[in-house]
Amino acid sequence: MHELNGANQWHISIGGDYGLNFASYVGCSVGALRGPGGQHVWPASGSDPGLPDSDSLKLAYEQWWLELVRYKTDCILAGKHPLLHQPPGFETVADPALRQTCAGLWPAFIEWWEMEVGGQTAMRFWEAAPDIYNYINEFEVQTGRSISTFTLRIDLVYGITEPVKPVHGYLLLPPGYKYLVNKQWWIALLEEYC
């Protein structure tokens, strides 16, 4: 988690833990999360050929994803640290087929996540990539006003292609250059908060 604070009582934290990233990995693997034009966004090879390709599994996944995001949002608002999964059996996943899918995908995901040059290492790079102080300075120059007090929590999630804003002050963002190092995007985002 990369945390930044400013003199005007603003606070931005950017992190990418395995919780929502694993859920996104599952969604991409079962074909429930796709990029523009329907292409697989993650894992790069597309769906695991051993997974059932069923609409009911995709619907169960979509419900689970919404529940996870809602739960994490509620925990953030309450100042609690969420526990999203219970691997390796995923007992908290209500749908049996989805629970079995999660358990089957978990070993490959966690191996990749914890590799020396795996997902967690790359996430640390993206967490520190934005030049927030520069973006805030540029915002103040462009608008002629100082940053006001605000708090923003950003979770970086592989597999999503566009920002998702569950509530004001919490944002899911895909890692990469499109948003994280885009000064104009940051200035527009800061406009919402200031």
Side-chain angles (χ1 to χ4, degrees), residues 64-83:
W64 181 58
W65 172 258
L66 292 174
E67 289 170 5
L68 289 174
V69 171
R70 188 176 313 116
Y71 171 70
K72 185 149 189 188
T73 301
D74 291 346
C75 287
I76 288 168
L77 293 174
K80 298 177 182 176
H81 183 73
L83 177 62

PDB file of all heavy atoms in Angstrom, residues 64-83:
ATOM      1  N   TRP A  64     -21.114 -12.887  -6.831  1.00  0.00           N
ATOM      2  CA  TRP A  64     -20.014 -12.954  -5.868  1.00  0.00           C
ATOM      3  C   TRP A  64     -19.148 -11.698  -5.960  1.00  0.00           C
ATOM      4  O   TRP A  64     -18.788 -11.108  -4.946  1.00  0.00           O
ATOM      5  CB  TRP A  64     -19.202 -14.224  -6.137  1.00  0.00           C
ATOM      6  CG  TRP A  64     -18.048 -14.475  -5.225  1.00  0.00           C
ATOM      7  CD1 TRP A  64     -18.092 -14.605  -3.864  1.00  0.00           C
ATOM      8  CD2 TRP A  64     -16.684 -14.662  -5.603  1.00  0.00           C
ATOM      9  NE1 TRP A  64     -16.829 -14.858  -3.376  1.00  0.00           N
ATOM     10  CE2 TRP A  64     -15.946 -14.910  -4.421  1.00  0.00           C
ATOM     11  CE3 TRP A  64     -16.016 -14.677  -6.819  1.00  0.00           C
ATOM     12  CZ2 TRP A  64     -14.577 -15.152  -4.428  1.00  0.00           C
ATOM     13  CZ3 TRP A  64     -14.651 -14.912  -6.835  1.00  0.00           C
ATOM     14  CH2 TRP A  64     -13.942 -15.144  -5.646  1.00  0.00           C
ATOM     15  N   TRP A  65     -18.820 -11.277  -7.186  1.00  0.00           N
ATOM     16  CA  TRP A  65     -18.006 -10.070  -7.387  1.00  0.00           C
ATOM     17  C   TRP A  65     -18.691  -8.853  -6.750  1.00  0.00           C
ATOM     18  O   TRP A  65     -18.054  -8.089  -6.024  1.00  0.00           O
ATOM     19  CB  TRP A  65     -17.762  -9.839  -8.875  1.00  0.00           C
ATOM     20  CG  TRP A  65     -17.094  -8.528  -9.182  1.00  0.00           C
ATOM     21  CD1 TRP A  65     -17.683  -7.396  -9.646  1.00  0.00           C
ATOM     22  CD2 TRP A  65     -15.711  -8.217  -9.025  1.00  0.00           C
ATOM     23  NE1 TRP A  65     -16.758  -6.397  -9.797  1.00  0.00           N
ATOM     24  CE2 TRP A  65     -15.534  -6.873  -9.424  1.00  0.00           C
ATOM     25  CE3 TRP A  65     -14.590  -8.935  -8.594  1.00  0.00           C
ATOM     26  CZ2 TRP A  65     -14.299  -6.232  -9.400  1.00  0.00           C
ATOM     27  CZ3 TRP A  65     -13.352  -8.290  -8.575  1.00  0.00           C
ATOM     28  CH2 TRP A  65     -13.219  -6.965  -8.974  1.00  0.00           C
ATOM     29  N   LEU A  66     -19.986  -8.692  -7.011  1.00  0.00           N
ATOM     30  CA  LEU A  66     -20.716  -7.562  -6.429  1.00  0.00           C
ATOM     31  C   LEU A  66     -20.712  -7.633  -4.900  1.00  0.00           C
ATOM     32  O   LEU A  66     -20.546  -6.607  -4.229  1.00  0.00           O
ATOM     33  CB  LEU A  66     -22.151  -7.520  -6.957  1.00  0.00           C
ATOM     34  CG  LEU A  66     -22.316  -7.170  -8.437  1.00  0.00           C
ATOM     35  CD1 LEU A  66     -23.765  -7.318  -8.865  1.00  0.00           C
ATOM     36  CD2 LEU A  66     -21.795  -5.769  -8.729  1.00  0.00           C
ATOM     37  N   GLU A  67     -20.878  -8.835  -4.357  1.00  0.00           N
ATOM     38  CA  GLU A  67     -20.851  -9.002  -2.904  1.00  0.00           C
ATOM     39  C   GLU A  67     -19.479  -8.653  -2.333  1.00  0.00           C
ATOM     40  O   GLU A  67     -19.383  -8.006  -1.282  1.00  0.00           O
ATOM     41  CB  GLU A  67     -21.226 -10.435  -2.523  1.00  0.00           C
ATOM     42  CG  GLU A  67     -22.683 -10.769  -2.750  1.00  0.00           C
ATOM     43  CD  GLU A  67     -22.983 -12.257  -2.601  1.00  0.00           C
ATOM     44  OE1 GLU A  67     -22.075 -13.041  -2.223  1.00  0.00           O
ATOM     45  OE2 GLU A  67     -24.127 -12.644  -2.866  1.00  0.00           O
ATOM     46  N   LEU A  68     -18.405  -9.087  -3.011  1.00  0.00           N
ATOM     47  CA  LEU A  68     -17.050  -8.779  -2.538  1.00  0.00           C
ATOM     48  C   LEU A  68     -16.781  -7.283  -2.550  1.00  0.00           C
ATOM     49  O   LEU A  68     -16.238  -6.729  -1.584  1.00  0.00           O
ATOM     50  CB  LEU A  68     -16.001  -9.492  -3.404  1.00  0.00           C
ATOM     51  CG  LEU A  68     -15.897 -10.994  -3.266  1.00  0.00           C
ATOM     52  CD1 LEU A  68     -14.911 -11.548  -4.294  1.00  0.00           C
ATOM     53  CD2 LEU A  68     -15.473 -11.387  -1.865  1.00  0.00           C
ATOM     54  N   VAL A  69     -17.149  -6.618  -3.640  1.00  0.00           N
ATOM     55  CA  VAL A  69     -16.930  -5.174  -3.732  1.00  0.00           C
ATOM     56  C   VAL A  69     -17.756  -4.449  -2.672  1.00  0.00           C
ATOM     57  O   VAL A  69     -17.261  -3.531  -2.006  1.00  0.00           O
ATOM     58  CB  VAL A  69     -17.228  -4.656  -5.158  1.00  0.00           C
ATOM     59  CG1 VAL A  69     -17.207  -3.136  -5.206  1.00  0.00           C
ATOM     60  CG2 VAL A  69     -16.227  -5.240  -6.156  1.00  0.00           C
ATOM     61  N   ARG A  70     -18.998  -4.859  -2.495  1.00  0.00           N
ATOM     62  CA  ARG A  70     -19.852  -4.246  -1.471  1.00  0.00           C
ATOM     63  C   ARG A  70     -19.263  -4.463  -0.075  1.00  0.00           C
ATOM     64  O   ARG A  70     -19.196  -3.542   0.742  1.00  0.00           O
ATOM     65  CB  ARG A  70     -21.268  -4.815  -1.550  1.00  0.00           C
ATOM     66  CG  ARG A  70     -22.272  -4.098  -0.668  1.00  0.00           C
ATOM     67  CD  ARG A  70     -23.698  -4.627  -0.833  1.00  0.00           C
ATOM     68  NE  ARG A  70     -24.086  -4.778  -2.230  1.00  0.00           N
ATOM     69  CZ  ARG A  70     -24.372  -5.949  -2.821  1.00  0.00           C
ATOM     70  NH1 ARG A  70     -24.355  -7.069  -2.150  1.00  0.00           N
ATOM     71  NH2 ARG A  70     -24.717  -5.985  -4.098  1.00  0.00           N
ATOM     72  N   TYR A  71     -18.831  -5.685   0.205  1.00  0.00           N
ATOM     73  CA  TYR A  71     -18.241  -6.012   1.507  1.00  0.00           C
ATOM     74  C   TYR A  71     -16.972  -5.191   1.749  1.00  0.00           C
ATOM     75  O   TYR A  71     -16.791  -4.604   2.824  1.00  0.00           O
ATOM     76  CB  TYR A  71     -17.946  -7.512   1.588  1.00  0.00           C
ATOM     77  CG  TYR A  71     -17.141  -7.919   2.797  1.00  0.00           C
ATOM     78  CD1 TYR A  71     -17.705  -7.880   4.070  1.00  0.00           C
ATOM     79  CD2 TYR A  71     -15.822  -8.326   2.671  1.00  0.00           C
ATOM     80  CE1 TYR A  71     -16.967  -8.248   5.184  1.00  0.00           C
ATOM     81  CE2 TYR A  71     -15.076  -8.691   3.774  1.00  0.00           C
ATOM     82  CZ  TYR A  71     -15.650  -8.649   5.033  1.00  0.00           C
ATOM     83  OH  TYR A  71     -14.914  -9.001   6.128  1.00  0.00           O
ATOM     84  N   LYS A  72     -16.102  -5.127   0.745  1.00  0.00           N
ATOM     85  CA  LYS A  72     -14.859  -4.368   0.909  1.00  0.00           C
ATOM     86  C   LYS A  72     -15.169  -2.894   1.098  1.00  0.00           C
ATOM     87  O   LYS A  72     -14.557  -2.223   1.927  1.00  0.00           O
ATOM     88  CB  LYS A  72     -13.929  -4.579  -0.280  1.00  0.00           C
ATOM     89  CG  LYS A  72     -12.593  -3.892  -0.067  1.00  0.00           C
ATOM     90  CD  LYS A  72     -11.447  -4.572  -0.723  1.00  0.00           C
ATOM     91  CE  LYS A  72     -10.145  -3.949  -0.261  1.00  0.00           C
ATOM     92  NZ  LYS A  72      -9.009  -4.439  -0.997  1.00  0.00           N
ATOM     93  N   THR A  73     -16.125  -2.361   0.355  1.00  0.00           N
ATOM     94  CA  THR A  73     -16.532  -0.969   0.505  1.00  0.00           C
ATOM     95  C   THR A  73     -17.032  -0.710   1.919  1.00  0.00           C
ATOM     96  O   THR A  73     -16.643   0.272   2.558  1.00  0.00           O
ATOM     97  CB  THR A  73     -17.623  -0.610  -0.525  1.00  0.00           C
ATOM     98  OG1 THR A  73     -17.111  -0.833  -1.842  1.00  0.00           O
ATOM     99  CG2 THR A  73     -18.062   0.829  -0.396  1.00  0.00           C
ATOM    100  N   ASP A  74     -17.898  -1.585   2.425  1.00  0.00           N
ATOM    101  CA  ASP A  74     -18.426  -1.437   3.781  1.00  0.00           C
ATOM    102  C   ASP A  74     -17.307  -1.467   4.819  1.00  0.00           C
ATOM    103  O   ASP A  74     -17.313  -0.690   5.773  1.00  0.00           O
ATOM    104  CB  ASP A  74     -19.457  -2.523   4.097  1.00  0.00           C
ATOM    105  CG  ASP A  74     -20.748  -2.366   3.308  1.00  0.00           C
ATOM    106  OD1 ASP A  74     -20.968  -1.285   2.722  1.00  0.00           O
ATOM    107  OD2 ASP A  74     -21.527  -3.340   3.267  1.00  0.00           O
ATOM    108  N   CYS A  75     -16.338  -2.365   4.637  1.00  0.00           N
ATOM    109  CA  CYS A  75     -15.208  -2.449   5.570  1.00  0.00           C
ATOM    110  C   CYS A  75     -14.368  -1.175   5.535  1.00  0.00           C
ATOM    111  O   CYS A  75     -13.956  -0.666   6.584  1.00  0.00           O
ATOM    112  CB  CYS A  75     -14.334  -3.661   5.248  1.00  0.00           C
ATOM    113  SG  CYS A  75     -15.077  -5.233   5.710  1.00  0.00           S
ATOM    114  N   ILE A  76     -14.118  -0.656   4.354  1.00  0.00           N
ATOM    115  CA  ILE A  76     -13.337   0.580   4.230  1.00  0.00           C
ATOM    116  C   ILE A  76     -14.061   1.726   4.920  1.00  0.00           C
ATOM    117  O   ILE A  76     -13.459   2.491   5.678  1.00  0.00           O
ATOM    118  CB  ILE A  76     -13.060   0.887   2.748  1.00  0.00           C
ATOM    119  CG1 ILE A  76     -12.034  -0.108   2.193  1.00  0.00           C
ATOM    120  CG2 ILE A  76     -12.579   2.325   2.552  1.00  0.00           C
ATOM    121  CD1 ILE A  76     -11.894  -0.087   0.699  1.00  0.00           C
ATOM    122  N   LEU A  77     -15.353   1.842   4.691  1.00  0.00           N
ATOM    123  CA  LEU A  77     -16.126   2.916   5.311  1.00  0.00           C
ATOM    124  C   LEU A  77     -16.150   2.789   6.837  1.00  0.00           C
ATOM    125  O   LEU A  77     -16.208   3.790   7.550  1.00  0.00           O
ATOM    126  CB  LEU A  77     -17.546   2.941   4.754  1.00  0.00           C
ATOM    127  CG  LEU A  77     -17.672   3.326   3.272  1.00  0.00           C
ATOM    128  CD1 LEU A  77     -19.108   3.171   2.805  1.00  0.00           C
ATOM    129  CD2 LEU A  77     -17.166   4.743   3.032  1.00  0.00           C
ATOM    130  N   ALA A  78     -16.089   1.549   7.325  1.00  0.00           N
ATOM    131  CA  ALA A  78     -16.107   1.310   8.768  1.00  0.00           C
ATOM    132  C   ALA A  78     -14.710   1.306   9.382  1.00  0.00           C
ATOM    133  O   ALA A  78     -14.558   1.131  10.590  1.00  0.00           O
ATOM    134  CB  ALA A  78     -16.811  -0.016   9.066  1.00  0.00           C
ATOM    135  N   GLY A  79     -13.683   1.471   8.550  1.00  0.00           N
ATOM    136  CA  GLY A  79     -12.310   1.469   9.049  1.00  0.00           C
ATOM    137  C   GLY A  79     -11.794   0.098   9.432  1.00  0.00           C
ATOM    138  O   GLY A  79     -10.878  -0.040  10.234  1.00  0.00           O
ATOM    139  N   LYS A  80     -12.358  -0.945   8.828  1.00  0.00           N
ATOM    140  CA  LYS A  80     -11.941  -2.318   9.119  1.00  0.00           C
ATOM    141  C   LYS A  80     -11.142  -2.874   7.951  1.00  0.00           C
ATOM    142  O   LYS A  80     -11.297  -2.447   6.813  1.00  0.00           O
ATOM    143  CB  LYS A  80     -13.164  -3.213   9.345  1.00  0.00           C
ATOM    144  CG  LYS A  80     -14.011  -2.808  10.526  1.00  0.00           C
ATOM    145  CD  LYS A  80     -15.219  -3.714  10.623  1.00  0.00           C
ATOM    146  CE  LYS A  80     -16.116  -3.304  11.775  1.00  0.00           C
ATOM    147  NZ  LYS A  80     -17.325  -4.117  11.822  1.00  0.00           N
ATOM    148  N   HIS A  81     -10.323  -3.884   8.228  1.00  0.00           N
ATOM    149  CA  HIS A  81      -9.580  -4.578   7.183  1.00  0.00           C
ATOM    150  C   HIS A  81     -10.383  -5.799   6.738  1.00  0.00           C
ATOM    151  O   HIS A  81     -10.651  -6.688   7.548  1.00  0.00           O
ATOM    152  CB  HIS A  81      -8.202  -5.004   7.681  1.00  0.00           C
ATOM    153  CG  HIS A  81      -7.380  -5.657   6.626  1.00  0.00           C
ATOM    154  ND1 HIS A  81      -6.815  -4.953   5.590  1.00  0.00           N
ATOM    155  CD2 HIS A  81      -7.053  -6.947   6.432  1.00  0.00           C
ATOM    156  CE1 HIS A  81      -6.170  -5.795   4.803  1.00  0.00           C
ATOM    157  NE2 HIS A  81      -6.294  -7.007   5.292  1.00  0.00           N
ATOM    158  N   PRO A  82     -10.779  -5.833   5.480  1.00  0.00           N
ATOM    159  CA  PRO A  82     -11.621  -6.952   5.024  1.00  0.00           C
ATOM    160  C   PRO A  82     -10.839  -8.243   4.787  1.00  0.00           C
ATOM    161  O   PRO A  82      -9.699  -8.217   4.363  1.00  0.00           O
ATOM    162  CB  PRO A  82     -12.195  -6.432   3.705  1.00  0.00           C
ATOM    163  CG  PRO A  82     -11.174  -5.473   3.209  1.00  0.00           C
ATOM    164  CD  PRO A  82     -10.541  -4.852   4.429  1.00  0.00           C
ATOM    165  N   LEU A  83     -11.475  -9.351   5.073  1.00  0.00           N
ATOM    166  CA  LEU A  83     -10.964 -10.668   4.718  1.00  0.00           C
ATOM    167  C   LEU A  83     -11.918 -11.203   3.657  1.00  0.00           C
ATOM    168  O   LEU A  83     -13.049 -11.581   3.964  1.00  0.00           O
ATOM    169  CB  LEU A  83     -10.939 -11.599   5.936  1.00  0.00           C
ATOM    170  CG  LEU A  83     -10.477 -13.027   5.661  1.00  0.00           C
ATOM    171  CD1 LEU A  83      -9.037 -13.033   5.147  1.00  0.00           C
ATOM    172  CD2 LEU A  83     -10.592 -13.865   6.922  1.00  0.00           C
TER     173      LEU A  83
END
